[in-house]
Amino acid sequence: MKTTGEILRSQREIKGLLLRQVAAKLDIDTAILSKIERGERKPTREQISKLADILELNKDTLIIQFMSEKIAYEIADEELGLQILKESEKKYKLVKK
């Protein structure tokens, strides 16, 4: 399973775009985009949305990838991580009603 950064880098390379070209479209420094691709920095939800457009990726799929990764990293070190996730699903359904 690829990380969000790996997906972004792979698609950027497939499209033949340079880091500086994509960074300019995002209005961020090339170093920041490089760190996002390497998983050393987390992009914002807005940046993910823009990257989906720039790289012609399915926006919903990329947002799901990004958000699920964000949640997974947040609870990864929790001993009760899986239980927390299951309980969160129940609470999500309650909140959405």
Side-chain angles (χ1 to χ4, degrees), residues 26-85:
L26 284 173
D27 197 27
I28 62 173
D29 190 77
T30 303
I32 292 172
L33 180 56
S34 179
K35 287 179 181 182
I36 289 170
E37 287 186 351
R38 291 192 316 265
E40 296 172 7
R41 183 175 175 137
K42 299 295 177 211
T44 65
R45 195 174 190 287
E46 181 183 338
Q47 288 169 334
I48 286 293
S49 185
K50 287 181 182 179
L51 283 162
D53 290 338
I54 293 165
L55 300 174
E56 297 177 352
L57 291 165
N58 180 288
K59 193 176 292 190
D60 290 346
T61 302
L62 191 59
I63 289 170
I64 290 167
Q65 165 71 27
F66 164 70
M67 293 300 293
S68 63
E69 192 173 281
K70 185 176 179 178
I71 292 166
Y73 279 106
E74 183 68 31
I75 64 170
D77 293 331
E78 293 288 338
E79 188 175 310
L80 303 171
L82 193 52
Q83 289 172 289
I84 292 167
L85 195 55

Side-chain angles (χ1 to χ4, degrees), residues 1-14:
M1 179 176 282
K2 286 185 174 183
T3 66
T4 302
E6 290 169 338
I7 292 168
L8 296 172
R9 175 183 284 149
S10 175
Q11 186 66 9
R12 179 181 58 75
E13 290 173 346
I14 288 168

